[in-house]
Amino acid sequence: MRPTRALLVEDDPNIVDLIRANLAARGFDAVVSTDGAGALQLLETEDPDIVLLDLMLPGIDGFELCRLMRERSTVGIIVVSGRGGERDKVTALNQGADDYLTKPFSIEELLARIMATLRRTRPPLPAPAEPTATVVRAGDVVIDLAGRQVSRGDTTIHLTPTEFALLRELALERGKLLSHAHLLRRVWGAGYATETEYVRVYVRRLRAKLEVEGGPALILTQPRFGYSFVAAEPLPSAEPLPAAEPSAAAEPSAAAEPSAGPSAGPSSGSFPAAGTADEL
């Protein structure tokens, strides 16, 4: 089994040496690119488990590189940048980043974020059956929790591992309002409870993929608190059964005419018609 491989996209040699040395000390295999074209090539040839991406790169906009990487792969992407504005963070998340870390940073925080991202984005090991239903349906959207597949009608919807992890958490608790902090802890990890913007961005991405314009909302918002997945539709109420028609055997045989013959009684081998309970 190969060691966990990190693709470090960074043009500052001091930061490269710092991160690569600490990753190697913890058993990681690190490959480095200092520009966008090399990063895209290494993404294809090295099949990394995690990408650490700087935004300030020569020759290409870091946000655009993040988008191109996300189009090609579901690998976990952590942006590591000196640009600490809220708009930069939201833009990076919208382009497909799984996490955002502002420079300067501690190596312990970086490693913690790497491990948290790997837990979300690595292919899961075979697990016991889900404790609840493994397939969730909402309109024409079908979520296969065990198979990690989502479809709408006959169309497969491709989600990143983080998108699926968030959708899974909402679907398992459908109809229940979940707070931002709860979703952040369950999907991103214990250290993300205040990163409310992460949930907002990823909910927008899920809505864009799952909902159709003019159709019903699947993910509902409680302003300043959190989100819920649309509750299951109630089963149609059973209609009362029509009253049963009285059977012919229960009615007196008034229309039956006695057959002509020498005797007015019943013929040999025949029995009188069944009467009502009162008659019996």
Side-chain angles (χ1 to χ4, degrees):
M1 182 178 178
R2 76 169 198 182
T4 301
R5 181 167 297 161
L7 170 57
L8 175 56
V9 188
E10 172 64 68
D11 63 340
D12 185 330
N14 294 322
I15 295 178
V16 168
D17 291 343
L18 172 68
I19 295 178
R20 182 162 51 186
N22 279 276
L23 290 177
R26 288 160 177 81
F28 284 71
D29 177 21
V31 292
V32 179
S33 175
T34 59
D35 58 69
L40 291 175
Q41 183 176 357
L42 289 174
L43 182 67
E44 298 291 336
T45 59
E46 298 296 328
D47 189 25
D49 301 291
I50 190 81
V51 174
L52 306 178
L53 174 62
D54 183 25
L55 294 178
M56 306 295 289
L57 296 169
I60 189 170
D61 176 69
F63 297 121
E64 176 66 10
L65 179 56
C66 183
R67 185 187 68 80
L68 293 172
M69 286 185 158
R70 179 54 69 222
E71 286 182 350
R72 290 162 168 77
S73 173
T74 60
V75 66
I77 301 174
I78 302 177
V79 169
V80 184
S81 174
R83 299 167 62 167
E86 189 72 13
R87 179 175 296 180
D88 292 319
K89 180 184 294 187
V90 171
T91 301
L93 294 172
N94 278 324
Q95 296 302 323
D98 294 278
D99 201 353
Y100 194 104
L101 182 61
T102 303
K103 300 174 184 176
F105 55 86
S106 71
I107 198 66
E108 290 78 12
E109 181 180 6
L110 174 62
L111 292 169
R113 288 176 181 256
I114 288 173
M115 298 310 297
T117 302
L118 287 172
R119 284 193 294 271
R120 294 194 305 272
T121 59
R122 272 180 165 171
L125 296 174
E130 295 283 351
T132 57
T134 59
V135 175
V136 175
R137 301 176 186 274
D140 60 350
V141 172
V142 178
I143 307 166
D144 181 353
L145 299 174
R148 300 177 67 85
Q149 299 291 325
V150 181
S151 61
R152 184 175 60 234
D154 296 327
T155 303
T156 298
I157 299 174
H158 298 284
L159 301 181
T160 68
T162 301
E163 288 169 347
F164 184 85
L166 178 57
L167 178 61
R168 178 184 182 278
E169 194 64 31
L170 289 165
L172 282 174
E173 301 282 356
R174 68 180 310 177
K176 181 178 178 181
L177 181 60
L178 303 178
S179 69
H180 297 124
H182 172 87
L183 292 170
L184 284 161
R185 285 194 300 267
R186 295 285 296 175
V187 177
W188 279 268
Y192 293 80
T194 61
E195 300 283 359
T196 305
E197 200 61 44
Y198 282 40
V199 181
R200 292 176 180 154
V201 170
Y202 270 82
V203 165
R204 283 198 296 268
R205 288 169 58 172
L206 284 175
R207 284 172 169 158
K209 293 183 177 184
L210 298 177
E211 299 176 358
V212 295
E213 186 176 355
L218 299 182
I219 301 175
L220 310 178
T221 302
Q222 178 66 39
R224 296 184 296 279
F225 184 83
Y227 302 93
S228 63
F229 194 78
V230 64
E233 296 180 1
L235 295 175
S237 58
E239 296 182 1
L241 295 174
E245 296 291 338
S247 64
E251 297 178 356
S253 185
E257 296 291 338
S259 58
S263 170
S267 60
S268 175
S270 66
F271 297 90
T276 66
D278 290 337
E279 291 172 332
L280 296 175

Coordinates of all heavy atoms in Angstrom, one line a residue, residues 12-104:
D12 N 6.7 29.4 -3.3 CA 7.6 29.9 -2.3 C 8.4 28.8 -1.8 O 7.9 27.9 -1.1 CB 6.8 30.6 -1.2 CG 7.6 31.2 -0.2 OD1 8.8 30.8 0.1 OD2 7.2 32.2 0.5
P13 N 9.7 28.7 -2.1 CA 10.5 27.6 -1.7 C 10.6 27.4 -0.1 O 10.7 26.2 0.3 CB 11.9 27.9 -2.2 CG 11.9 29.4 -2.5 CD 10.5 29.8 -2.8
N14 N 10.5 28.4 0.6 CA 10.5 28.3 2.1 C 9.3 27.5 2.6 O 9.4 26.6 3.4 CB 10.6 29.6 2.8 CG 11.9 30.3 2.5 OD1 13.0 29.7 2.4 ND2 11.9 31.7 2.3
I15 N 8.1 27.9 2.0 CA 6.9 27.2 2.4 C 6.9 25.7 1.9 O 6.5 24.8 2.6 CB 5.7 27.9 1.9 CG1 5.6 29.3 2.6 CG2 4.4 27.1 2.1 CD1 4.4 30.2 2.1
V16 N 7.4 25.5 0.7 CA 7.6 24.2 0.2 C 8.4 23.3 1.1 O 8.0 22.2 1.4 CB 8.2 24.2 -1.3 CG1 8.6 22.8 -1.7 CG2 7.2 24.8 -2.2
D17 N 9.6 23.8 1.5 CA 10.4 23.0 2.4 C 9.8 22.7 3.7 O 9.9 21.6 4.2 CB 11.8 23.8 2.6 CG 12.6 23.9 1.3 OD1 12.4 23.1 0.4 OD2 13.5 24.7 1.3
L18 N 9.1 23.7 4.3 CA 8.4 23.5 5.6 C 7.3 22.4 5.5 O 7.3 21.5 6.3 CB 7.8 24.9 6.0 CG 6.9 24.8 7.3 CD1 7.8 24.5 8.5 CD2 6.2 26.1 7.5
I19 N 6.5 22.6 4.5 CA 5.4 21.6 4.4 C 5.9 20.2 4.0 O 5.5 19.2 4.6 CB 4.3 22.1 3.4 CG1 3.7 23.4 3.9 CG2 3.2 21.1 3.2 CD1 2.7 24.0 3.0
R20 N 6.8 20.2 3.1 CA 7.2 18.9 2.6 C 8.0 18.1 3.7 O 7.8 16.9 3.9 CB 8.2 19.0 1.4 CG 8.6 17.7 0.8 CD 9.2 17.9 -0.6 NE 10.1 19.0 -0.7 CZ 10.6 19.4 -1.9 NH1 10.3 18.8 -3.0 NH2 11.5 20.3 -1.9
A21 N 8.8 18.8 4.5 CA 9.5 18.2 5.6 C 8.5 17.6 6.7 O 8.7 16.5 7.1 CB 10.5 19.1 6.2
N22 N 7.5 18.4 7.0 CA 6.6 17.9 8.0 C 5.7 16.8 7.5 O 5.3 15.9 8.2 CB 5.7 19.1 8.5 CG 6.4 20.0 9.5 OD1 6.4 19.6 10.7 ND2 7.1 21.0 9.1
L23 N 5.3 16.8 6.2 CA 4.6 15.7 5.7 C 5.4 14.5 5.6 O 4.9 13.4 6.0 CB 4.1 16.1 4.2 CG 3.0 17.2 4.1 CD1 2.7 17.5 2.7 CD2 1.7 16.7 4.9
A24 N 6.6 14.6 5.2 CA 7.5 13.4 5.2 C 7.7 12.8 6.5 O 7.7 11.5 6.7 CB 8.9 13.8 4.5
A25 N 7.8 13.6 7.6 CA 8.0 13.1 8.9 C 6.8 12.3 9.4 O 6.9 11.5 10.3 CB 8.3 14.3 9.9
R26 N 5.6 12.5 8.8 CA 4.4 11.8 9.1 C 4.0 10.8 8.1 O 2.9 10.3 8.1 CB 3.3 12.8 9.4 CG 3.5 13.6 10.7 CD 2.7 14.9 10.7 NE 2.9 15.6 11.9 CZ 3.9 16.4 12.2 NH1 4.9 16.6 11.3 NH2 4.0 17.0 13.4
G27 N 5.0 10.4 7.3 CA 4.7 9.3 6.3 C 4.1 9.6 5.0 O 3.7 8.8 4.3
F28 N 3.9 10.9 4.7 CA 3.3 11.3 3.5 C 4.4 11.3 2.4 O 5.6 11.6 2.6 CB 2.7 12.8 3.6 CG 1.4 12.8 4.3 CD1 1.4 12.7 5.7 CD2 0.3 13.1 3.6 CE1 0.2 12.8 6.4 CE2 -1.0 13.2 4.3 CZ -1.0 13.0 5.7
D29 N 3.9 11.1 1.2 CA 4.7 11.3 0.0 C 4.3 12.6 -0.7 O 3.1 12.8 -1.0 CB 4.5 10.1 -1.0 CG 5.3 10.3 -2.3 OD1 6.3 11.1 -2.3 OD2 4.9 9.6 -3.3
A30 N 5.2 13.6 -0.8 CA 4.8 14.9 -1.4 C 5.4 15.1 -2.7 O 6.6 14.9 -2.9 CB 5.3 16.0 -0.4
V31 N 4.6 15.6 -3.7 CA 5.1 16.0 -5.0 C 4.8 17.5 -5.1 O 3.8 18.0 -4.6 CB 4.5 15.2 -6.1 CG1 4.9 13.8 -6.1 CG2 2.9 15.3 -6.1
V32 N 5.6 18.2 -5.8 CA 5.5 19.7 -5.8 C 5.5 20.2 -7.2 O 6.1 19.7 -8.2 CB 6.8 20.3 -5.1 CG1 6.7 21.8 -5.1 CG2 6.9 19.8 -3.7
S33 N 4.6 21.2 -7.4 CA 4.5 22.0 -8.6 C 4.5 23.5 -8.3 O 3.9 23.9 -7.3 CB 3.3 21.7 -9.5 OG 3.2 22.5 -10.6
T34 N 5.3 24.3 -9.1 CA 5.3 25.7 -8.8 C 4.4 26.5 -9.8 O 4.4 27.7 -9.7 CB 6.8 26.2 -8.9 OG1 7.3 25.9 -10.2 CG2 7.6 25.5 -7.9
D35 N 3.7 25.8 -10.7 CA 2.8 26.6 -11.6 C 1.6 25.7 -11.9 O 1.5 24.5 -11.6 CB 3.6 26.9 -12.9 CG 4.1 25.7 -13.6 OD1 3.3 24.9 -14.1 OD2 5.4 25.5 -13.6
G36 N 0.6 26.3 -12.6 CA -0.6 25.7 -12.8 C -0.5 24.5 -13.8 O -1.1 23.5 -13.6
A37 N 0.2 24.7 -14.9 CA 0.3 23.7 -15.9 C 0.9 22.4 -15.4 O 0.4 21.3 -15.6 CB 1.1 24.2 -17.1
G38 N 2.0 22.6 -14.6 CA 2.6 21.4 -13.9 C 1.7 20.7 -12.9 O 1.7 19.5 -12.8
A39 N 0.9 21.6 -12.2 CA 0.0 21.0 -11.2 C -1.1 20.1 -11.9 O -1.4 19.0 -11.4 CB -0.7 22.1 -10.5
L40 N -1.6 20.6 -13.0 CA -2.6 19.8 -13.7 C -2.0 18.5 -14.3 O -2.7 17.4 -14.2 CB -3.2 20.6 -14.9 CG -4.1 21.8 -14.4 CD1 -4.6 22.6 -15.7 CD2 -5.3 21.3 -13.6
Q41 N -0.8 18.5 -14.7 CA -0.1 17.3 -15.2 C 0.1 16.3 -14.1 O -0.2 15.1 -14.2 CB 1.2 17.7 -15.9 CG 1.9 16.4 -16.5 CD 3.1 16.8 -17.2 OE1 3.5 18.0 -17.4 NE2 3.8 15.8 -17.7
L42 N 0.6 16.8 -12.9 CA 0.8 15.9 -11.8 C -0.5 15.4 -11.2 O -0.5 14.3 -10.7 CB 1.6 16.7 -10.7 CG 3.0 17.0 -11.0 CD1 3.6 17.9 -9.9 CD2 3.9 15.7 -11.1
L43 N -1.6 16.1 -11.3 CA -2.9 15.7 -10.9 C -3.3 14.4 -11.7 O -3.8 13.5 -11.1 CB -3.9 16.7 -11.1 CG -5.4 16.4 -10.6 CD1 -5.4 16.3 -9.1 CD2 -6.3 17.5 -11.1
E44 N -2.9 14.4 -12.9 CA -3.2 13.2 -13.8 C -2.3 12.1 -13.6 O -2.7 10.9 -13.5 CB -3.2 13.6 -15.3 CG -4.2 14.7 -15.6 CD -5.7 14.2 -15.6 OE1 -5.9 13.0 -15.7 OE2 -6.6 15.1 -15.4
T45 N -1.0 12.4 -13.5 CA 0.0 11.3 -13.4 C 0.3 10.7 -12.1 O 0.6 9.6 -11.9 CB 1.3 11.8 -14.1 OG1 1.8 12.9 -13.3 CG2 1.2 12.2 -15.5
E46 N 0.2 11.6 -11.0 CA 0.5 11.1 -9.7 C -0.7 10.7 -8.8 O -0.5 10.1 -7.8 CB 1.3 12.3 -8.9 CG 2.6 12.7 -9.6 CD 3.6 11.5 -9.6 OE1 3.6 10.7 -8.6 OE2 4.4 11.5 -10.5
D47 N -1.9 11.0 -9.3 CA -3.1 10.6 -8.6 C -3.0 10.9 -7.1 O -3.1 10.0 -6.2 CB -3.3 9.1 -8.8 CG -4.7 8.7 -8.3 OD1 -5.6 9.5 -8.2 OD2 -4.9 7.5 -7.9
P48 N -2.8 12.2 -6.7 CA -2.7 12.5 -5.3 C -3.9 12.3 -4.5 O -5.0 12.3 -5.0 CB -2.3 14.0 -5.3 CG -3.0 14.5 -6.6 CD -2.9 13.4 -7.5
D49 N -3.8 12.1 -3.2 CA -4.9 12.0 -2.2 C -5.4 13.3 -1.7 O -6.5 13.4 -1.3 CB -4.5 11.1 -1.1 CG -4.0 9.7 -1.5 OD1 -4.8 8.9 -1.9 OD2 -2.8 9.4 -1.4
I50 N -4.5 14.3 -1.8 CA -4.8 15.6 -1.3 C -4.0 16.7 -2.1 O -2.9 16.4 -2.5 CB -4.5 15.7 0.3 CG1 -5.1 17.0 0.9 CG2 -3.0 15.6 0.5 CD1 -6.5 17.0 1.2
V51 N -4.6 17.8 -2.3 CA -3.9 18.9 -3.0 C -3.9 20.1 -2.0 O -4.9 20.5 -1.4 CB -4.6 19.3 -4.3 CG1 -4.0 20.6 -4.9 CG2 -4.6 18.2 -5.3
L52 N -2.7 20.7 -1.9 CA -2.5 22.0 -1.1 C -2.2 23.0 -2.1 O -1.2 23.0 -2.8 CB -1.4 21.8 -0.1 CG -1.5 20.6 0.9 CD1 -0.3 20.6 1.8 CD2 -2.8 20.7 1.7
L53 N -3.1 24.0 -2.3 CA -3.1 24.9 -3.4 C -2.9 26.3 -3.0 O -3.8 26.9 -2.2 CB -4.4 24.7 -4.2 CG -4.6 25.7 -5.4 CD1 -3.5 25.6 -6.5 CD2 -6.0 25.5 -6.0
D54 N -1.8 27.0 -3.4 CA -1.7 28.4 -3.2 C -2.4 29.1 -4.4 O -2.5 28.6 -5.5 CB -0.2 28.8 -3.3 CG 0.1 30.3 -3.0 OD1 -0.8 30.9 -2.3 OD2 1.1 30.8 -3.5
L55 N -3.0 30.3 -4.1 CA -3.7 31.1 -5.1 C -2.8 32.0 -5.9 O -3.2 32.4 -7.0 CB -4.8 31.9 -4.4 CG -5.9 31.1 -3.7 CD1 -6.9 32.1 -3.1 CD2 -6.7 30.2 -4.7
M56 N -1.7 32.4 -5.3 CA -0.8 33.4 -6.0 C 0.3 32.6 -6.7 O 1.4 32.4 -6.2 CB -0.2 34.4 -5.0 CG -1.3 35.1 -4.1 SD -2.3 36.1 -5.0 CE -1.2 37.5 -5.4
L57 N -0.1 32.2 -8.0 CA 0.8 31.5 -8.8 C 1.2 32.2 -10.1 O 0.3 33.0 -10.6 CB 0.2 30.1 -9.1 CG 0.0 29.2 -8.0 CD1 -0.9 28.0 -8.4 CD2 1.3 28.7 -7.4
P58 N 2.4 32.0 -10.6 CA 2.7 32.6 -11.9 C 1.9 32.0 -13.1 O 1.8 30.8 -13.1 CB 4.2 32.4 -12.0 CG 4.5 31.1 -11.2 CD 3.5 31.2 -10.1
G59 N 1.4 32.8 -13.9 CA 0.8 32.3 -15.2 C -0.6 31.9 -15.1 O -1.2 31.6 -16.2
I60 N -1.2 31.8 -14.0 CA -2.6 31.3 -13.9 C -3.2 31.8 -12.6 O -2.6 32.0 -11.6 CB -2.7 29.8 -14.0 CG1 -4.1 29.3 -14.1 CG2 -2.1 29.1 -12.7 CD1 -4.3 27.8 -14.4
D61 N -4.5 32.1 -12.7 CA -5.3 32.5 -11.5 C -5.6 31.3 -10.7 O -6.0 30.3 -11.2 CB -6.6 33.2 -12.0 CG -7.5 33.5 -10.8 OD1 -7.1 34.5 -10.1 OD2 -8.5 32.8 -10.6
G62 N -5.3 31.4 -9.4 CA -5.4 30.3 -8.5 C -6.9 29.8 -8.4 O -7.1 28.6 -8.3
F63 N -7.9 30.7 -8.5 CA -9.2 30.2 -8.5 C -9.6 29.4 -9.7 O -10.3 28.4 -9.7 CB -10.2 31.4 -8.4 CG -10.0 32.2 -7.1 CD1 -9.7 33.6 -7.2 CD2 -10.2 31.6 -5.9 CE1 -9.6 34.3 -6.0 CE2 -10.1 32.4 -4.7 CZ -9.8 33.7 -4.8
E64 N -9.1 29.8 -10.9 CA -9.3 29.1 -12.1 C -8.6 27.7 -12.1 O -9.2 26.7 -12.5 CB -8.7 29.9 -13.3 CG -8.8 29.2 -14.6 CD -10.2 29.0 -15.1 OE1 -11.2 29.5 -14.5 OE2 -10.4 28.2 -16.1
L65 N -7.4 27.7 -11.5 CA -6.7 26.4 -11.3 C -7.6 25.4 -10.4 O -7.7 24.2 -10.7 CB -5.3 26.6 -10.8 CG -4.5 25.3 -10.6 CD1 -4.4 24.5 -11.8 CD2 -3.1 25.7 -10.0
C66 N -8.1 26.0 -9.4 CA -9.0 25.2 -8.5 C -10.2 24.6 -9.3 O -10.5 23.4 -9.1 CB -9.4 26.1 -7.3 SG -10.4 25.2 -6.1
R67 N -10.8 25.5 -10.1 CA -11.9 25.0 -10.9 C -11.5 23.9 -11.8 O -12.2 22.9 -12.0 CB -12.5 26.2 -11.6 CG -13.8 25.8 -12.4 CD -14.3 27.0 -13.3 NE -13.3 27.2 -14.4 CZ -13.3 26.5 -15.5 NH1 -14.1 25.5 -15.7 NH2 -12.4 26.8 -16.4
L68 N -10.4 24.1 -12.5 CA -9.9 23.1 -13.5 C -9.6 21.7 -12.8 O -9.9 20.7 -13.3 CB -8.7 23.6 -14.2 CG -8.9 24.8 -15.1 CD1 -7.6 25.3 -15.7 CD2 -9.8 24.4 -16.3
M69 N -9.0 21.8 -11.6 CA -8.7 20.6 -10.8 C -10.0 19.9 -10.4 O -10.1 18.7 -10.5 CB -7.9 20.9 -9.6 CG -6.5 21.3 -9.9 SD -5.5 21.5 -8.3 CE -3.9 21.2 -8.9
R70 N -11.0 20.7 -10.0 CA -12.3 20.1 -9.6 C -13.0 19.4 -10.7 O -13.7 18.4 -10.6 CB -13.2 21.1 -8.9 CG -14.5 20.6 -8.4 CD -14.4 19.4 -7.5 NE -13.8 19.7 -6.2 CZ -12.9 18.9 -5.6 NH1 -12.5 17.8 -6.2 NH2 -12.4 19.2 -4.4
E71 N -12.9 20.0 -11.9 CA -13.5 19.4 -13.1 C -12.9 18.0 -13.4 O -13.5 17.2 -13.9 CB -13.3 20.3 -14.3 CG -14.3 21.5 -14.3 CD -14.1 22.4 -15.5 OE1 -13.1 22.1 -16.3 OE2 -14.9 23.3 -15.7
R72 N -11.6 17.9 -13.1 CA -10.9 16.7 -13.5 C -10.9 15.6 -12.4 O -10.6 14.4 -12.7 CB -9.4 17.0 -13.8 CG -9.3 17.8 -15.1 CD -7.9 18.5 -15.2 NE -7.6 19.0 -16.5 CZ -8.1 20.1 -17.0 NH1 -9.0 20.8 -16.3 NH2 -7.8 20.5 -18.2
S73 N -11.2 16.0 -11.1 CA -10.9 15.0 -10.0 C -11.8 15.4 -8.8 O -12.2 16.5 -8.6 CB -9.5 15.0 -9.6 OG -9.2 14.3 -8.5
T74 N -12.1 14.4 -8.0 CA -12.8 14.6 -6.7 C -11.8 14.7 -5.6 O -12.2 14.6 -4.4 CB -13.8 13.5 -6.5 OG1 -13.1 12.2 -6.4 CG2 -14.9 13.4 -7.6
V75 N -10.5 14.8 -5.9 CA -9.5 14.8 -4.8 C -9.8 16.0 -3.9 O -10.3 17.0 -4.2 CB -8.1 15.0 -5.5 CG1 -8.0 16.4 -6.1 CG2 -7.0 14.8 -4.4
G76 N -9.4 15.8 -2.6 CA -9.6 16.9 -1.6 C -8.6 18.0 -1.9 O -7.5 17.8 -2.2
I77 N -9.2 19.3 -1.9 CA -8.4 20.5 -2.2 C -8.4 21.4 -1.0 O -9.5 21.8 -0.6 CB -8.9 21.2 -3.5 CG1 -8.8 20.2 -4.7 CG2 -8.1 22.4 -3.7 CD1 -9.4 20.8 -6.0
I78 N -7.3 21.7 -0.5 CA -7.2 22.7 0.6 C -6.4 23.9 0.0 O -5.3 23.8 -0.4 CB -6.4 22.2 1.8 CG1 -7.1 21.0 2.4 CG2 -6.3 23.3 2.9 CD1 -6.4 20.3 3.6
V79 N -7.1 25.1 0.0 CA -6.4 26.3 -0.4 C -5.6 26.8 0.7 O -6.1 26.9 1.9 CB -7.4 27.3 -0.9 CG1 -6.7 28.7 -1.1 CG2 -8.0 26.9 -2.2
V80 N -4.3 27.1 0.5 CA -3.4 27.6 1.5 C -2.9 28.9 0.9 O -2.0 29.0 0.0 CB -2.2 26.7 1.8 CG1 -1.4 27.2 2.9 CG2 -2.8 25.3 2.2
S81 N -3.4 30.1 1.4 CA -3.1 31.3 0.8 C -2.9 32.5 1.7 O -3.5 32.4 2.9 CB -4.3 31.7 -0.2 OG -4.2 33.0 -0.7
G82 N -2.2 33.5 1.3 CA -2.1 34.7 2.1 C -3.2 35.6 2.0 O -3.3 36.6 2.7
R83 N -4.2 35.3 1.1 CA -5.4 36.1 0.9 C -6.4 35.7 1.9 O -7.0 34.6 1.7 CB -5.9 36.0 -0.6 CG -4.8 36.5 -1.6 CD -5.1 36.1 -3.0 NE -6.4 36.7 -3.5 CZ -6.7 36.7 -4.8 NH1 -5.9 36.2 -5.7 NH2 -7.9 37.3 -5.1
G84 N -6.7 36.5 2.9 CA -7.5 36.1 4.0 C -8.9 36.7 4.0 O -9.7 36.5 4.9
G85 N -9.3 37.4 2.9 CA -10.6 38.0 2.9 C -11.7 37.0 2.7 O -11.6 35.9 2.2
E86 N -12.9 37.4 3.3 CA -14.1 36.5 3.2 C -14.5 36.2 1.8 O -14.8 35.1 1.4 CB -15.2 37.1 4.0 CG -16.4 36.2 4.2 CD -16.2 35.1 5.2 OE1 -15.2 35.2 6.0 OE2 -16.9 34.2 5.3
R87 N -14.4 37.2 0.9 CA -14.7 37.0 -0.5 C -13.8 35.9 -1.2 O -14.2 35.1 -2.0 CB -14.7 38.3 -1.3 CG -15.0 38.2 -2.7 CD -15.1 39.5 -3.4 NE -16.2 40.3 -2.8 CZ -16.5 41.6 -3.3 NH1 -15.7 42.1 -4.2 NH2 -17.4 42.3 -2.7
D88 N -12.5 36.0 -0.8 CA -11.6 35.0 -1.4 C -11.9 33.6 -1.0 O -11.9 32.6 -1.7 CB -10.1 35.3 -1.0 CG -9.6 36.6 -1.6 OD1 -9.9 36.9 -2.8 OD2 -9.0 37.4 -0.9
K89 N -12.3 33.5 0.3 CA -12.6 32.1 0.8 C -13.9 31.6 0.1 O -13.9 30.4 -0.3 CB -12.9 32.2 2.3 CG -13.2 30.9 3.0 CD -13.5 31.0 4.5 CE -12.3 31.4 5.3 NZ -12.6 31.4 6.7
V90 N -14.9 32.4 0.0 CA -16.1 32.0 -0.6 C -15.9 31.6 -2.1 O -16.4 30.6 -2.6 CB -17.2 33.1 -0.5 CG1 -18.5 32.8 -1.3 CG2 -17.6 33.3 1.0
T91 N -15.1 32.5 -2.8 CA -14.8 32.2 -4.2 C -14.1 30.8 -4.3 O -14.4 30.0 -5.2 CB -13.9 33.3 -4.8 OG1 -14.6 34.5 -4.7 CG2 -13.7 33.0 -6.2
A92 N -13.1 30.6 -3.5 CA -12.4 29.3 -3.5 C -13.3 28.1 -3.3 O -13.3 27.1 -4.0 CB -11.3 29.3 -2.5
L93 N -14.2 28.2 -2.3 CA -15.2 27.2 -2.0 C -16.1 27.0 -3.2 O -16.5 25.8 -3.5 CB -15.9 27.5 -0.7 CG -15.1 27.5 0.6 CD1 -16.0 28.0 1.7 CD2 -14.6 26.1 0.9
N94 N -16.6 28.1 -3.8 CA -17.4 28.0 -4.9 C -16.8 27.3 -6.1 O -17.4 26.7 -7.0 CB -18.0 29.3 -5.3 CG -19.1 29.8 -4.5 OD1 -20.0 29.0 -4.2 ND2 -19.2 31.1 -4.2
Q95 N -15.4 27.4 -6.2 CA -14.7 26.8 -7.3 C -14.4 25.4 -7.1 O -13.8 24.7 -7.9 CB -13.4 27.6 -7.6 CG -13.6 29.0 -8.1 CD -14.5 29.1 -9.4 OE1 -14.3 28.3 -10.2 NE2 -15.3 30.1 -9.5
G96 N -14.7 24.9 -5.9 CA -14.5 23.4 -5.6 C -13.6 23.1 -4.5 O -13.4 21.9 -4.2
A97 N -13.0 24.1 -3.8 CA -12.1 23.8 -2.7 C -12.9 23.2 -1.5 O -14.1 23.5 -1.3 CB -11.4 25.0 -2.2
D98 N -12.3 22.3 -0.8 CA -12.9 21.6 0.4 C -12.6 22.4 1.7 O -13.3 22.3 2.6 CB -12.4 20.2 0.5 CG -12.8 19.3 -0.6 OD1 -14.0 18.8 -0.6 OD2 -12.0 19.1 -1.6
D99 N -11.5 23.2 1.7 CA -11.1 23.9 2.9 C -10.2 25.0 2.5 O -9.7 25.1 1.3 CB -10.4 22.9 3.8 CG -10.4 23.4 5.3 OD1 -10.9 24.6 5.5 OD2 -9.9 22.7 6.1
Y100 N -10.1 26.0 3.4 CA -9.3 27.2 3.1 C -8.5 27.6 4.4 O -9.1 27.7 5.5 CB -10.3 28.3 2.7 CG -9.6 29.5 2.1 CD1 -9.7 29.8 0.8 CD2 -8.9 30.5 2.9 CE1 -9.1 30.9 0.2 CE2 -8.3 31.6 2.3 CZ -8.4 31.8 1.0 OH -7.9 32.9 0.4
L101 N -7.2 27.7 4.2 CA -6.3 28.0 5.4 C -5.5 29.2 5.0 O -4.9 29.3 3.9 CB -5.4 26.8 5.7 CG -4.4 27.0 6.8 CD1 -5.2 27.2 8.1 CD2 -3.6 25.7 6.9
T102 N -5.5 30.2 5.9 CA -4.9 31.5 5.6 C -3.5 31.5 6.2 O -3.2 31.1 7.3 CB -5.7 32.7 6.2 OG1 -7.0 32.6 5.7 CG2 -5.0 34.0 5.9
K103 N -2.5 32.0 5.4 CA -1.1 32.2 5.9 C -1.1 33.4 6.7 O -1.8 34.4 6.4 CB -0.2 32.3 4.7 CG -0.1 31.1 3.7 CD 0.7 31.5 2.5 CE 0.8 30.3 1.5 NZ 1.5 30.7 0.3
P104 N -0.2 33.5 7.7 CA 0.6 32.4 8.3 C -0.3 31.4 9.0 O -1.3 31.7 9.6 CB 1.6 33.1 9.2 CG 0.8 34.3 9.6 CD 0.0 34.7 8.5

